[in-house]
Amino acid sequence: MNHEPTVFDKIINREIPAEIVYEDEHCLAFKDINPQAPVHILVIPKKPIVSLAEIDEQDAPLMGHLLVVLSKIARQVGLESGYRTVLNTGPDGGQEVNHLHFHLLGKRSMKWPPG
Ligand code: AMP
């Protein structure tokens, strides 16, 4: 399902600025504007997928690609001691921007369970 344009579509289209750390044909990664850890990067598909609840089998290669990119970025920014990967889905999942995105959080010790 396509969605109404979000702030992330505007970042993809360069209508608003972001600190982009990686881009390819299928995805974009940029620094979170309100970081919750010393490293806080968002990895998003260029395809306008609302959330994890919307994906189907045809999105499997794209979802895999997003995780491979996230893993490479984690290596590049020096997160060898570990990191937290978060994918919030829907209102109860704490999702605020209706464009699927992985959070990559690192350079601090994470707690469990999350709030
Ligand atoms: P979520 O709550 O999982 O939907 O996460 C949305 C994230 O997007 C939050 O961590 C926000 O700080 C971040 N965010 C919102 N607007 C921007 C923006 N213009 N540039 C970078 N990150 C943003």
Side-chain angles (χ1 to χ4, degrees), residues 4-111:
E4 295 297 314
T6 68
V7 64
F8 292 174
D9 294 288
K10 292 181 180 161
I11 290 173
I12 292 168
N13 296 328
R14 305 300 202 271
E15 291 163 23
I16 62 168
E19 272 194 76
I20 294 170
V21 299
Y22 177 86
E23 180 170 23
D24 66 25
E25 187 186 347
H26 300 293
C27 71
L28 191 67
F30 52 90
K31 293 187 182 175
D32 197 291
I33 204 167
N34 183 23
Q36 301 301 312
V39 170
H40 189 171
I41 291 168
L42 302 175
V43 182
I44 71 170
K46 289 186 174 175
K47 180 178 176 182
I49 302 172
V50 173
S51 79
L52 191 64
E54 306 278 327
I55 67 166
D56 57 30
E57 196 60 41
Q58 70 175 5
D59 297 310
L62 175 60
M63 295 302 293
H65 179 67
L66 295 175
L67 286 172
V68 171
V69 165
L70 184 146
S71 173
K72 284 183 182 166
I73 293 170
R75 276 199 289 276
Q76 279 166 10
V77 299
L79 299 183
E80 47 281 305
S81 65
Y83 49 89
R84 176 71 54 81
T85 305
V86 175
L87 174 46
N88 295 325
T89 302
D92 279 1
Q95 183 176 4
E96 290 179 355
V97 177
N98 290 325
H99 185 124
L100 187 149
H101 51 280
F102 284 102
H103 297 256
L104 168 61
L105 299 138
K107 296 276 188 195
R108 74 166 166 82
S109 181
M110 301 294 161
K111 302 209 178 341

